[in-house]
Amino acid sequence: MQTDSSFTFVLFGGTGDLSMRKILPALYEAHRAGGMLAESGRIVAVARHAEDRDGYLQWVNENVKSHVSKNGLDEAAWASFLKRIDYVKLDLGKPEDFALLRDAVSGLPGIRVFYLATGPSLFVPICRALASVGLNENARIVLEKPLGYDLKSSNAINDAVGEIFAEEQIYRIDHYLGKEPVQNLLALRFGNALFEPLWRREWVESIQITIAEELGVEARGDFYDNTGALRDMVQNHLLQLLSIVAMEPPHSMDSDSVRDEKLRVLRALKPVDERDIGKVAVRGQYHAGGIRGTPVPGYATEPGVKKDSTTETFVALKVEIENWRWAGVPFFLRTGKRLADRVAEIVVNFRPVPHSALGSPALRPGANRLVIRLQPNETIRLYCLAKQPGEGMNLASVHLDLAFDQFFREGQMEAYQRLLLDVINGRLALFVRRDEQEAAWRWVEPILNEWSSANRPPKPYAAGTWGPAASSAMLAQHGTCWLEEEN
C-alpha cells in the first residue's frame, strides 16, 4: 500500500497508554515498511506532561519501543521515525492554548488528521477549540470508543462534532474491523463461489462470536466501573463483527456501499423485549480465581471499583436477525474479562447432512464448521470429515488451514496500522458511520435499561473460567454449546 499523500497527524493524548501501545507503534511500522507514509508526513503529539520535544521523545523511547515490531526494532528506522515527530505542550482545558497548535501545524503540508486518543468527555471541547482557531478545514477527525454512554449521550456528541466536521471528515474507529481475518471474511464470502450459496439459514445452524480476555480491568477500574462489558465491547466490537458476518453482498467495496449493508443488518436485529432479557442475555462478574495457575483478585477488589459494584464484566447474548437470509438462525455473542483464555473468533456452524450412509459421526455438529480466529493468532480454518487410513469407513475431523503468517510471509499489517493508513488516505469503509452507531445503541438500550433498573447482581464466575454457567445453559436450550466446551 504505497502513498504519496502528505499529512500532518496530530495525536491528542500523546503520552497516553493507547498512543504508546498502539498508535505510535502502528505509525512506526508503516514508516519502517517504506513507501506507506509520504516522506513529508509529520506527527505532532499533543500532551501536557512533557515540557518540550526532547522530553517527549525520551518518553516515547521509554514507553513505545517494547510495543513495536515482532521481528525486533530497526534502530535506523526508529531514528528516522523520531525525526517525523514534533510536540506541542497544551492544556486541553484551556481553549486559548490551541493557538499554539495552530502555529505549530500552519506550515506543515497535506491533510490534517486529528486523532482523539482521549476520554469521550473531551471530544466536543477539543473539536470546538480546533474550530475556534480554524483547524477544522482540510482535516479529518478520528474518534476512539466509547462514543457516549447511551443513545442520548452518543447523539449529543455526534451532534456537536457534526456542527464542526462533516460526516465524511469523521472517522469513528473500531480496530476489530481492521484485523486481517475480518477483511478476509469479506474476500471468502464475496470472492469465492464456494461459500456464498451456503451463507444463509438453509445451511447455517448457528454462529458464535467471542471476544475473551484473560486480563482484568488493570488500571482502568474507574472507567470500567462506569461502563461495563455491554457498552465497552458489545455495542461496538461485537455488533460490528456480527454485521460483517451477516451483511448482504455490497455492489462495490466503496465506503458507503459496505456501510449501507452493515446498517441493514443492524436495523434487522430482532428487538429485545425487556420481559425476555433473562432468556437471551447473561450478565456476569468475575470473582477471585486463577489465570494459568496465578491467583487473581475479584472485580470488586480491583483499584477504582466500588466494593458493592454491580457492573458486568461478562455478557453472553442470543441475537436474531429478522430477514430472509438469517431468519431463525441464532447468533451467540460473548465477551468477558478474566476468562480462561485470550481469544477472539467467529464460529460458523453449518447444518449436518440430512442423512448419512457413513454413520452417526457424519451427523455431529462440529463436522462442518468454519472458524475465523482474530486473536491471538490470525487464522481461518474449515473443518470437515475425512476417512481415517486403514480398514473400514472410520471418519475423523480434519481441517483446511489458512494461517496468514505462514501463507503470506510479507505484508502483514496490524489493525491499527491499516486503519491509520486508511484515515491518511481518506478511506472510510472500515470506520463506523453515525447511523450504524445509532442503530447499535438503539438495539442494546432495552438491555441496559433493564439491567440498571433491576435489583439483581450479575451472576458470579471464578476468574480463569469461561463465565457463568447460565451462558452454557442458554446455548444448551438450542441444542448447541460453545466451541471450547465441545473440544
Side-chain angles (χ1 to χ4, degrees):
M1 187 186 298
Q2 302 254 328
T3 182
D4 295 320
S5 301
S6 294
F7 67 92
T8 299
F9 189 96
V10 181
L11 178 57
F12 288 91
T15 55
D17 183 62
L18 181 64
S19 297
M20 299 297 106
R21 288 188 303 107
K22 296 294 184 182
I23 300 171
L24 288 175
L27 291 170
Y28 161 75
E29 293 293 352
H31 169 87
R32 186 177 74 108
M36 290 186 175
L37 297 180
E39 290 293 329
S40 59
R42 304 290 294 178
I43 301 165
V44 179
V46 175
R48 61 179 179 179
H49 296 297
E51 287 299 320
D52 54 24
R53 180 175 183 270
D54 289 341
Y56 181 71
L57 293 184
Q58 180 179 346
W59 180 280
V60 170
N61 270 310
E62 292 172 355
N63 292 280
V64 176
K65 279 187 172 183
S66 61
H67 298 293
V68 302
S69 191
K70 298 175 182 177
N71 301 317
L73 184 75
D74 182 327
E75 290 293 350
W78 180 252
S80 61
F81 173 68
L82 293 182
K83 292 179 182 178
R84 289 185 183 268
I85 299 178
D86 291 322
Y87 174 74
V88 175
K89 180 179 171 64
L90 189 153
D91 187 341
L92 298 180
K94 298 179 179 178
E96 61 272 18
D97 278 9
F98 279 73
L100 301 173
L101 178 61
R102 178 197 59 204
D103 295 343
V105 303
S106 60
L108 298 179
I111 190 75
R112 292 180 184 134
V113 174
F114 297 105
Y115 196 114
L116 274 54
T118 68
S121 62
L122 294 173
F123 291 172
V124 173
I126 290 174
C127 290
R128 286 174 174 162
L130 289 172
S132 72
V133 293
L135 290 178
N136 57 324
E137 302 295 332
N138 189 35
R140 295 168 187 147
I141 190 90
V142 185
L143 304 179
E144 267 287 346
K145 76 168 186 75
L147 201 69
Y149 186 78
D150 52 18
L151 179 60
K152 181 180 179 180
S153 58
S154 175
N155 281 341
I157 293 173
N158 278 315
D159 286 345
V161 174
E163 292 175 359
I164 299 161
F165 294 95
E167 179 64 28
E168 60 269 20
Q169 293 178 279
I170 303 171
Y171 290 68
R172 300 173 188 86
I173 194 166
D174 186 328
H175 71 275
Y176 276 89
L177 298 185
K179 290 182 177 290
E180 199 71 58
V182 175
Q183 301 304 295
N184 259 295
L185 175 58
L186 295 174
L188 283 172
R189 280 196 59 193
F190 305 136
N192 298 283
L194 174 65
F195 286 106
E196 181 56 28
L198 304 178
W199 214 262
R200 59 190 67 247
R201 62 184 302 274
E202 291 86 356
W203 298 107
V204 175
E205 190 169 66
S206 66
I207 294 177
Q208 302 175 16
I209 305 177
T210 294
I211 302 177
E213 300 177 87
E214 287 183 328
L215 294 175
V217 295
E218 303 305 294
R220 300 167 69 234
D222 286 333
F223 161 78
Y224 196 88
D225 207 38
N226 290 302
T227 305
L230 189 65
R231 291 184 177 91
D232 190 42
M233 299 297 291
V234 175
Q235 181 272 331
N236 39 70
H237 298 325
L238 282 168
L239 289 184
Q240 280 293 314
L241 291 177
L242 180 149
S243 67
I244 290 283
V245 171
M247 65 187 278
E248 294 295 319
H251 74 81
S252 73
M253 294 308 292
D254 71 78
S255 59
D256 279 329
S257 295
V258 172
R259 296 189 295 179
D260 285 347
E261 297 304 334
K262 288 164 55 190
L263 177 63
R264 288 189 178 97
V265 173
L266 294 170
R267 287 179 171 171
L269 296 178
K270 182 179 180 180
V272 180
D273 190 313
E274 291 190 7
R275 294 168 296 183
D276 295 330
I277 287 174
K279 301 175 185 177
V280 300
V282 176
R283 177 182 179 223
Q285 185 186 99
Y286 68 83
H287 289 194
I291 303 291
R292 302 188 188 278
T294 301
V296 295
Y299 175 75
T301 61
E302 298 273 21
V305 174
K306 297 186 292 291
K307 301 305 179 187
D308 58 350
S309 174
T310 58
T311 298
E312 77 281 355
T313 62
F314 175 95
V315 174
L317 300 170
K318 178 202 166 194
V319 182
E320 295 182 66
I321 301 173
E322 296 184 315
N323 63 20
W324 277 52
R325 183 181 290 267
W326 296 114
V329 176
F331 286 71
F332 298 106
L333 312 185
R334 174 178 59 164
T335 187
K337 291 188 174 295
R338 290 294 191 210
L339 298 182
D341 200 2
R342 174 179 174 263
V343 62
E345 64 188 7
I346 300 164
V347 180
V348 181
N349 291 311
F350 294 101
R351 296 187 185 278
V353 295
H355 170 74
S356 175
L358 303 176
S360 59
L363 297 173
R364 67 171 178 246
N368 299 278
R369 167 181 289 149
L370 182 69
V371 178
I372 302 153
R373 178 68 64 91
L374 309 180
Q375 66 184 30
N377 54 327
E378 298 184 342
T379 62
I380 294 178
R381 184 170 286 183
L382 178 64
Y383 288 85
C384 53
L385 290 175
K387 178 187 175 297
Q388 294 185 26
E391 186 179 2
M393 184 57 72
N394 298 312
L395 302 180
S397 179
V398 298
H399 59 264
L400 309 175
D401 203 346
L402 172 57
F404 296 102
D405 58 348
Q406 297 177 24
F407 196 87
F408 301 106
R409 298 290 182 179
E410 297 179 357
Q412 289 281 2
M413 281 196 288
E414 295 290 335
Y416 269 97
Q417 183 181 345
R418 173 181 290 105
L419 294 173
L420 294 182
L421 289 172
D422 279 359
V423 177
I424 291 169
N425 291 293
R427 293 186 285 261
L428 277 159
L430 300 182
F431 296 84
V432 181
R433 204 167 58 192
R434 175 174 179 170
D435 49 9
E436 291 181 73
Q437 192 174 69
E438 289 180 358
W441 273 120
R442 192 169 288 111
W443 186 81
V444 302
E445 273 213 325
I447 305 173
L448 285 171
N449 293 338
E450 202 276 340
W451 284 355
S452 64
S453 62
N455 189 25
R456 293 190 305 274
K459 297 181 183 300
Y461 64 96
T465 66
W466 281 104
S471 167
S472 299
M474 183 172 66
L475 271 69
Q477 292 175 356
H478 296 274
T480 188
C481 63
W482 296 108
L483 181 62
E484 76 282 346
E485 294 172 336
E486 182 175 303
N487 293 338

mmCIF file of all heavy atoms in Angstrom, residues 459-476:
data_model
loop_
_atom_site.group_PDB
_atom_site.id
_atom_site.type_symbol
_atom_site.label_atom_id
_atom_site.label_comp_id
_atom_site.label_asym_id
_atom_site.label_seq_id
_atom_site.Cartn_x
_atom_site.Cartn_y
_atom_site.Cartn_z
ATOM 1 N N LYS A 459 -24.355 -12.479 37.658
ATOM 2 C CA LYS A 459 -24.049 -13.844 38.072
ATOM 3 C C LYS A 459 -22.542 -13.980 38.270
ATOM 4 O O LYS A 459 -21.752 -13.558 37.420
ATOM 5 C CB LYS A 459 -24.538 -14.844 37.024
ATOM 6 C CG LYS A 459 -26.051 -14.825 36.842
ATOM 7 C CD LYS A 459 -26.512 -15.836 35.810
ATOM 8 C CE LYS A 459 -28.023 -15.740 35.583
ATOM 9 N NZ LYS A 459 -28.787 -16.005 36.810
ATOM 10 N N PRO A 460 -22.117 -14.573 39.379
ATOM 11 C CA PRO A 460 -20.673 -14.678 39.642
ATOM 12 C C PRO A 460 -20.022 -15.780 38.804
ATOM 13 O O PRO A 460 -20.655 -16.771 38.450
ATOM 14 C CB PRO A 460 -20.631 -15.036 41.129
ATOM 15 C CG PRO A 460 -21.908 -15.776 41.377
ATOM 16 C CD PRO A 460 -22.926 -15.146 40.467
ATOM 17 N N TYR A 461 -18.753 -15.562 38.475
ATOM 18 C CA TYR A 461 -17.943 -16.628 37.878
ATOM 19 C C TYR A 461 -16.512 -16.466 38.371
ATOM 20 O O TYR A 461 -16.041 -15.345 38.634
ATOM 21 C CB TYR A 461 -18.007 -16.610 36.351
ATOM 22 C CG TYR A 461 -17.427 -15.381 35.676
ATOM 23 C CD1 TYR A 461 -16.109 -15.360 35.196
ATOM 24 C CD2 TYR A 461 -18.199 -14.230 35.480
ATOM 25 C CE1 TYR A 461 -15.587 -14.248 34.552
ATOM 26 C CE2 TYR A 461 -17.684 -13.119 34.849
ATOM 27 C CZ TYR A 461 -16.376 -13.129 34.382
ATOM 28 O OH TYR A 461 -15.857 -12.022 33.752
ATOM 29 N N ALA A 462 -15.832 -17.569 38.524
ATOM 30 C CA ALA A 462 -14.462 -17.537 39.011
ATOM 31 C C ALA A 462 -13.528 -17.084 37.896
ATOM 32 O O ALA A 462 -13.653 -17.518 36.750
ATOM 33 C CB ALA A 462 -14.042 -18.913 39.518
ATOM 34 N N ALA A 463 -12.588 -16.202 38.217
ATOM 35 C CA ALA A 463 -11.576 -15.807 37.243
ATOM 36 C C ALA A 463 -10.840 -17.050 36.757
ATOM 37 O O ALA A 463 -10.515 -17.940 37.533
ATOM 38 C CB ALA A 463 -10.598 -14.821 37.878
ATOM 39 N N GLY A 464 -10.598 -17.104 35.453
ATOM 40 C CA GLY A 464 -9.928 -18.258 34.874
ATOM 41 C C GLY A 464 -10.869 -19.299 34.319
ATOM 42 O O GLY A 464 -10.427 -20.313 33.777
ATOM 43 N N THR A 465 -12.185 -19.063 34.411
ATOM 44 C CA THR A 465 -13.182 -19.950 33.802
ATOM 45 C C THR A 465 -13.762 -19.258 32.569
ATOM 46 O O THR A 465 -13.318 -18.173 32.180
ATOM 47 C CB THR A 465 -14.297 -20.288 34.795
ATOM 48 O OG1 THR A 465 -15.048 -19.086 35.099
ATOM 49 C CG2 THR A 465 -13.722 -20.840 36.094
ATOM 50 N N TRP A 466 -14.786 -19.879 31.978
ATOM 51 C CA TRP A 466 -15.393 -19.320 30.778
ATOM 52 C C TRP A 466 -16.683 -18.568 31.077
ATOM 53 O O TRP A 466 -17.513 -18.370 30.186
ATOM 54 C CB TRP A 466 -15.641 -20.413 29.742
ATOM 55 C CG TRP A 466 -14.395 -20.782 29.001
ATOM 56 C CD1 TRP A 466 -13.623 -21.887 29.176
ATOM 57 C CD2 TRP A 466 -13.760 -20.013 27.973
ATOM 58 N NE1 TRP A 466 -12.542 -21.865 28.330
ATOM 59 C CE2 TRP A 466 -12.604 -20.726 27.570
ATOM 60 C CE3 TRP A 466 -14.042 -18.799 27.343
ATOM 61 C CZ2 TRP A 466 -11.729 -20.256 26.577
ATOM 62 C CZ3 TRP A 466 -13.182 -18.333 26.355
ATOM 63 C CH2 TRP A 466 -12.047 -19.058 25.986
ATOM 64 N N GLY A 467 -16.850 -18.106 32.311
ATOM 65 C CA GLY A 467 -18.009 -17.289 32.623
ATOM 66 C C GLY A 467 -19.074 -18.066 33.369
ATOM 67 O O GLY A 467 -18.904 -19.243 33.713
ATOM 68 N N PRO A 468 -20.217 -17.436 33.648
ATOM 69 C CA PRO A 468 -21.288 -18.085 34.404
ATOM 70 C C PRO A 468 -21.843 -19.300 33.678
ATOM 71 O O PRO A 468 -21.884 -19.350 32.445
ATOM 72 C CB PRO A 468 -22.350 -16.983 34.524
ATOM 73 C CG PRO A 468 -21.657 -15.710 34.209
ATOM 74 C CD PRO A 468 -20.553 -16.055 33.275
ATOM 75 N N ALA A 469 -22.307 -20.278 34.478
ATOM 76 C CA ALA A 469 -22.908 -21.479 33.895
ATOM 77 C C ALA A 469 -24.133 -21.141 33.058
ATOM 78 O O ALA A 469 -24.461 -21.862 32.105
ATOM 79 C CB ALA A 469 -23.285 -22.455 35.008
ATOM 80 N N ALA A 470 -24.815 -20.028 33.368
ATOM 81 C CA ALA A 470 -26.008 -19.642 32.617
ATOM 82 C C ALA A 470 -25.695 -19.386 31.149
ATOM 83 O O ALA A 470 -26.566 -19.533 30.283
ATOM 84 C CB ALA A 470 -26.637 -18.398 33.237
ATOM 85 N N SER A 471 -24.448 -19.014 30.850
ATOM 86 C CA SER A 471 -24.054 -18.798 29.460
ATOM 87 C C SER A 471 -24.117 -20.108 28.677
ATOM 88 O O SER A 471 -24.636 -20.158 27.555
ATOM 89 C CB SER A 471 -22.638 -18.215 29.403
ATOM 90 O OG SER A 471 -22.105 -18.253 28.113
ATOM 91 N N SER A 472 -23.597 -21.184 29.270
ATOM 92 C CA SER A 472 -23.651 -22.500 28.619
ATOM 93 C C SER A 472 -25.084 -23.011 28.542
ATOM 94 O O SER A 472 -25.487 -23.625 27.540
ATOM 95 C CB SER A 472 -22.778 -23.496 29.383
ATOM 96 O OG SER A 472 -21.429 -23.073 29.386
ATOM 97 N N ALA A 473 -25.868 -22.743 29.595
ATOM 98 C CA ALA A 473 -27.250 -23.211 29.618
ATOM 99 C C ALA A 473 -28.071 -22.559 28.508
ATOM 100 O O ALA A 473 -28.955 -23.187 27.920
ATOM 101 C CB ALA A 473 -27.878 -22.918 30.978
ATOM 102 N N MET A 474 -27.770 -21.296 28.206
ATOM 103 C CA MET A 474 -28.504 -20.599 27.150
ATOM 104 C C MET A 474 -28.302 -21.288 25.802
ATOM 105 O O MET A 474 -29.252 -21.460 25.028
ATOM 106 C CB MET A 474 -28.046 -19.140 27.072
ATOM 107 C CG MET A 474 -28.795 -18.305 26.050
ATOM 108 S SD MET A 474 -28.398 -16.532 26.149
ATOM 109 C CE MET A 474 -26.671 -16.560 25.653
ATOM 110 N N LEU A 475 -27.086 -21.733 25.522
ATOM 111 C CA LEU A 475 -26.825 -22.432 24.271
ATOM 112 C C LEU A 475 -27.402 -23.836 24.288
ATOM 113 O O LEU A 475 -27.897 -24.331 23.268
ATOM 114 C CB LEU A 475 -25.328 -22.488 23.986
ATOM 115 C CG LEU A 475 -24.769 -21.294 23.185
ATOM 116 C CD1 LEU A 475 -24.796 -20.010 24.009
ATOM 117 C CD2 LEU A 475 -23.357 -21.583 22.688
ATOM 118 N N ALA A 476 -27.361 -24.472 25.470
ATOM 119 C CA ALA A 476 -27.889 -25.836 25.577
ATOM 120 C C ALA A 476 -29.375 -25.881 25.228
ATOM 121 O O ALA A 476 -29.862 -26.882 24.685
ATOM 122 C CB ALA A 476 -27.651 -26.375 26.978
#
